[in-house]
Structures are given as C-alpha cells and as structure tokens.
Amino acid sequence: MGSAEGTLTPAARWDITTPAQASRLPGVSLAGFRDRTTSPLDLPVIPYPAVTLAIDLGNGLIVDSARDRQQGGSVLFGLSPGAVRARGQNIDALQIRLSPVIAHTVLGASLEPGGEIISLDALWGRGGTQLLEQLRAAAS
C-alpha cells in the first residue's frame, strides 16, 4: 500500500476490462485499459499471434517500432511486432486483436510478420478519425 507509483504492480496500475461474453465472431478479442497513475509508462509490447489495433481514447499513447519510428494515437501492428514499445501517460485505450484472416477481411490490408506500425488515419483516412471521435464520445 505504501508503494510509489513507479513501483506499482501491473494489477495495481491498470484498470482492465473485457466483454462479459466471448465475441460472437471467432478470431476477435477486445480489452480496455486505463492507467490509474500519472507516472510515465514505458513497456515492451509482447508479441502475439494476431493483428492488434490499439485505439488511444485519451491522447496519451505513443508506440515506438523496431525501426525507431514513433506513432502517437491509434495504431495497428501485425504479427510478432519485434521490438515495439508502448509509452505515454494517462493512457486510456482499447485493444482489439484480430486473427490474420479476420484482419484482412475487416481492415482490407495484410500485415507482414514483424511489419510496420500503421496509424489508424493512414489505414482508414477520415473514417478512422470519425471512428475515434465516436468512441471517445461514448459513455462506456
């Protein structure tokens, strides 16, 4: 209980929520993350066998790729992203993981293993911006 913010366990640092029921669409999973602290965050992204869409609901997320490229805001990255790090403060985000087949169908794009991080705007243009505005305006 007397821990400083910088030494909190992940369970003490994050509010994490998942849907009460499993997705009706196989190959899709979601989770919401809210940082309970105000201290800076810098952590590796664990490679996962899915395409991950990270939607930044609070303007605090920065993703660094293995190519030293920084992307702020909502991003998409493929299988085994390599040396990817998530950084920021006051992070409030939605993580959507898609199987490669679902990702190709839904996103209209294929991502190579270890591939690049793509911003939501680069992927969907104005549609990505509108989606983000609608999600930020939602009550829950």
Side-chain angles (χ1 to χ4, degrees):
M1 204 157 112
S3 297
E5 276 189 1
T7 60
L8 291 175
T9 65
R13 180 172 184 137
W14 294 101
D15 283 326
I16 301 172
T17 188
T18 58
Q21 298 178 354
S23 173
R24 289 182 279 174
L25 183 60
V28 177
S29 66
L30 344 150
F33 296 87
R34 177 170 289 145
D35 189 352
R36 294 180 186 168
T37 72
T38 57
S39 62
L41 171 75
D42 183 359
L43 58 92
V45 174
I46 298 169
Y48 193 82
V51 173
T52 301
L53 177 58
I55 299 177
D56 182 10
L57 300 171
N59 288 322
L61 181 64
I62 297 171
V63 179
D64 294 326
S65 75
R67 300 175 187 163
D68 294 326
R69 185 167 162 231
Q70 292 185 359
Q71 288 280 353
S74 301
V75 296
L76 177 80
F77 50 90
L79 306 169
S80 302
V84 174
R85 298 192 74 80
R87 298 185 299 112
Q89 283 184 268
N90 302 317
I91 294 172
D92 191 3
L94 176 62
Q95 171 186 280
I96 304 170
R97 287 187 169 154
L98 307 167
S99 74
V101 172
I102 297 294
H104 181 72
T105 302
V106 171
L107 303 172
S110 293
L111 294 172
E112 298 297 322
E116 198 169 336
I117 295 171
I118 302 168
S119 73
L120 191 61
D121 290 338
L123 182 67
W124 285 335
R126 179 73 184 132
T129 302
Q130 289 172 333
L131 172 64
L132 188 55
E133 289 169 357
Q134 290 172 351
L135 288 170
R136 285 182 175 160
S140 69

